[in-house]
């Protein structure tokens, strides 16, 4: 009867009789603190409440936009002759498809972009024969290069500092001129998100670091294979959003993306590294790739900027480096913020490198894209000391003894490194400049 007496007493009654007293409000609002006793008489606490993982809930506006994007526009089939050169066949009927009638000239004029709808008009705008433009997109070889020798890119493998390999795909002269024209007259006319600072005119690593100066918490994220993640369909969608017809957007996408030949030579250490390059992607080394990558990440920047603002924090992105910073109070919400950021990255079809994710506090060195931001924008002490030692040895022993990497214009190389330091810390940079002016370049 001891157990029943305890239960009646717990609810305000007495042993053997009922009571009209209501239970204590503290017991109803916080049931997790109620304890019971086992057979021995020891108190047992109920198991703690399991915290559910935060998840994103799509808004009504986002769902409406997604449904509009899923609506496919009909293709106009043309019987008989081709409506224009290099028109495409329908896979079902075998008739030609006219994909040049769905452009938005009003939108193109609003953005100040050149107007063309067909391959002939694109070739006239580029100032090249149509057959040469078709050769650049491998129209005569099933849409891809059959060998590295016939490709329009130079391929160079470079090892990453964090391990693994990166393929640098540099366009050859003709294709590079075409891509530069696309960059200057189309992509440079389109505004990027304010949070994007990499490869944007008027912005730099300094503007990327300034919003995070003096913050109590700095959280850094990294995107894996940033350029190869942006595929051909995403690039075509970017040009379609600008107002170009499907035919023009496909040709622009073919001119700005590439896929390595399947017989590209590589050793066993690079077996897994070559896989992301087999599908059409943005080539790292092409002049158009940074601008297209920024445009493809526009929704990522918008969503993370809004999320950071709701947490009282700031967000910036420099290429594949994402940074969120805020006051010390932000540390209480990191358990919710970090999973939400990872979800946004995945939903925007990017990949996060969790090994490079960092949480830096005020008592640590907070470095963003090589810029220290603890108190003010500054250069790393080790980098400053190393450059100062090189300049001092140039004065004492001569510059020829310090050019160990065989840089062609060693003087311009040193001036560039000094200018970088001046941009971050003028006082330190001027000290290095004084040493540089004392170098005898005849030695």
């Amino acid at each position: 009867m001891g157990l029943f007496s305890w239960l009646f007493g717990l609810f305000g009654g007495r042993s053997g009789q009922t009571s009209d007293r209501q239970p204590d409000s503290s017991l109803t609002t916080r049931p997790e603190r109620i304890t019971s006793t086992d057979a021995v008489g020891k108190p047992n606490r109920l198991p703690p409440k399991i915290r559910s993982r935060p998840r994103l809930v799509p808004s009504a506006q986002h769902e409406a936009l997604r449904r509009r994007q899923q609506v496919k526009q009909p293709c106009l089939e043309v019987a008989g002759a081709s409506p224009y050169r290099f028109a495409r066949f329908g896979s079902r009927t075998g008739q030609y498809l006219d994909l040049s009638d769905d452009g938005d000239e009003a939108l193109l004029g609003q953005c100040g972009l050149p107007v063309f709808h067909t391959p002939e008009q694109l070739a006239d705008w580029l100032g090249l024969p149509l057959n040469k433009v078709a050769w650049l997109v491998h129209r005569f070889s099933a849409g891809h290069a059959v060998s590295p020798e016939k490709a329009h890119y130079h391929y160079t493998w470079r090892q990453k500092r964090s391990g693994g390999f990166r393929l640098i795909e540099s366009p050859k002269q003709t294709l590079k001129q075409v891509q530069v024209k696309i960059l200057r007259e189309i992509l440079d006319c389109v505004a990027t998100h304010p949070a994007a600072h990499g490869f944007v005119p008027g912005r730099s690593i300094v503007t990327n670091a300034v919003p995070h100066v003096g913050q109590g918490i700095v959280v850094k994220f990294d995107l894996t294979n940033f350029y190869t993640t942006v595929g051909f369909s995403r690039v075509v969608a970017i040009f379609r959003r600008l107002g170009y017809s499907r035919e023009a957007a496909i040709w622009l996408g073919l001119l700005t993306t590439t896929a390595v030949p399947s017989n590209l030579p590589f050793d066993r250490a690079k077996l897994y590294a070559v896989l992301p390059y087999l599908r059409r992607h943005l080539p790292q080394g092409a002049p158009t790739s940074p601008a297209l990558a920024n445009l493809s990440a526009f929704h990522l920047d918008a969503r993370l900027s809004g999320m950071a603002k709701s947490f009282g924090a700031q967000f910036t992105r420099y290429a594949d480096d994402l940074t969120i910073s805020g006051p010390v109070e932000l540390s209480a919400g990191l358990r919710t913020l970090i999973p939400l950021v990872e979800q946004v990255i995945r939903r925007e079809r990017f990949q996060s490198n969790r090994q490079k994710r960092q949480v830096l506090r005020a008592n640590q060195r907070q470095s963003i894209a090589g810029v220290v931001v603890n108190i003010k924008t500054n250069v790393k002490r080790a980098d400053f000391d190393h450059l100062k030692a090189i300049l001092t040895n140039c004065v004492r022993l001569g510059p020829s003894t310090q050019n160990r990497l065989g840089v062609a214009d060693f003087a311009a190389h040193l001036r560039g490194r000094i200018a970088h330091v001046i941009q971050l810390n003028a006082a330190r940079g001027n000290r290095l400049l004084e040493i540089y002016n004392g170098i005898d370049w005849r030695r």
Side-chain angles (χ1 to χ4, degrees), residues 126-140:
L126 293 175
L128 296 175
L130 178 57
N131 287 338
K132 192 164 189 178
V133 179
W135 170 71
L136 289 175
V137 300
H138 298 287
R139 189 61 187 266
F140 308 115

Side-chain angles (χ1 to χ4, degrees), residues 24-91:
D24 192 357
S25 61
S26 62
L27 295 176
T28 58
T29 56
R30 305 194 63 178
E32 66 274 9
R33 293 188 177 181
I34 299 177
T35 59
S36 61
T37 56
D38 57 10
V40 184
K42 294 182 179 180
N44 286 333
R45 191 175 297 273
L46 295 178
K49 184 178 179 181
I50 300 176
R51 176 175 298 201
S52 60
R53 186 177 181 180
R55 294 193 176 276
L56 296 173
V57 178
S59 61
Q61 181 181 3
H62 180 76
E63 285 295 320
L65 177 61
R66 184 180 62 84
R67 286 193 296 269
R68 288 197 301 268
Q69 292 174 349
Q70 290 178 348
V71 177
K72 296 184 179 180
Q73 299 180 0
C75 298
L76 179 60
E77 295 186 357
V78 179
S82 172
Y84 47 83
R85 292 187 62 186
F86 297 110
R88 305 174 187 277
F89 274 107
S91 59

Side-chain angles (χ1 to χ4, degrees), residues 69-377:
Q69 292 174 349
Q70 290 178 348
V71 177
K72 296 184 179 180
Q73 299 180 0
C75 298
L76 179 60
E77 295 186 357
V78 179
S82 172
Y84 47 83
R85 292 187 62 186
F86 297 110
R88 305 174 187 277
F89 274 107
S91 59
R92 295 182 179 179
T93 62
Q95 296 180 347
Y96 286 103
L97 301 178
D98 188 355
L99 306 180
S100 63
D101 290 338
D102 54 355
D104 191 345
E105 294 189 6
L107 183 58
L108 293 173
Q110 181 181 355
C111 299
L113 303 179
V115 178
F116 48 81
H117 305 290
T118 63
E120 294 98 327
Q121 296 173 354
L122 172 62
D124 293 340
W125 175 71
L126 293 175
L128 296 175
L130 178 57
N131 287 338
K132 192 164 189 178
V133 179
W135 170 71
L136 289 175
V137 300
H138 298 287
R139 189 61 187 266
F140 308 115
S141 58
H144 58 84
V146 296
S147 65
E149 293 76 17
K150 295 184 178 181
H152 301 301
Y153 290 86
H154 298 288
Y155 302 107
T156 305
W157 285 102
R158 293 184 181 177
Q159 190 168 5
K160 300 179 182 179
R161 290 181 297 178
S162 59
F165 296 88
R166 177 186 292 110
L167 182 62
I168 304 299
E169 301 164 284
S170 303
K172 296 180 181 179
Q173 187 63 30
T174 304
L175 182 58
K176 185 176 182 180
Q177 293 176 355
V178 170
Q179 291 178 347
V180 169
K181 186 176 181 65
I182 295 174
L183 173 67
R184 295 289 178 251
E185 300 188 23
I186 296 179
L187 299 178
D188 281 350
C189 299
V190 183
T192 58
H193 194 274
H197 293 264
F199 311 104
V200 179
R203 307 176 196 173
S204 62
I205 58 174
V206 179
T207 60
N208 178 69
V210 166
H212 309 290
V213 172
Q215 298 293 339
I217 298 289
V218 174
V219 187
K220 299 170 56 177
F221 300 86
D222 182 82
L223 301 180
T224 304
N225 298 327
F226 183 47
Y227 288 105
T228 56
T229 305
V230 183
F232 172 72
S233 60
R234 298 180 70 169
V235 175
V236 172
I238 290 173
F239 289 111
R240 290 284 291 139
R241 286 291 186 88
L242 298 180
Y244 286 102
S245 64
R246 279 175 287 179
E247 190 68 47
I250 290 173
W251 281 72
L252 289 171
L254 292 173
L255 289 170
T256 54
T257 61
T258 184
V260 299
S262 57
N263 55 355
L264 178 70
F266 57 89
D267 53 28
R268 291 185 176 182
K270 305 169 187 174
L271 175 61
Y272 293 101
V274 77
L275 295 180
Y277 301 95
L278 295 177
R279 58 186 287 270
R280 274 203 168 267
H281 59 277
L282 289 180
Q284 186 169 356
T288 52
S289 294
L292 287 171
N294 281 335
L295 293 177
S296 68
F298 188 93
H299 289 289
L300 175 70
D301 297 336
R303 296 182 68 179
L304 292 183
S305 296
M307 181 181 296
K309 186 177 180 180
S310 66
F311 279 85
Q314 297 82 29
F315 166 77
T316 60
R317 181 181 60 83
Y318 191 90
D320 57 351
D321 294 329
L322 283 62
T323 308
I324 296 178
S325 68
V328 180
E329 292 76 14
L330 181 62
S331 59
L334 291 181
R335 184 175 294 183
T336 302
L337 174 64
I338 293 177
L340 290 179
V341 172
E342 297 285 351
Q343 289 184 47
V344 171
I345 292 174
R346 289 194 300 270
R347 294 196 178 188
E348 293 298 328
R349 295 179 294 174
F350 290 100
Q351 300 174 6
S352 175
N353 188 351
R354 296 190 177 185
Q355 296 180 351
K356 292 187 177 181
R357 189 175 67 195
Q358 291 181 308
V359 177
L360 305 175
R361 306 184 185 276
N363 59 346
Q364 300 172 282
R365 186 181 68 184
Q366 298 172 338
S367 177
I368 301 173
V371 181
V372 180
V373 295
N374 287 76
I375 302 177
K376 60 181 181 180
T377 57

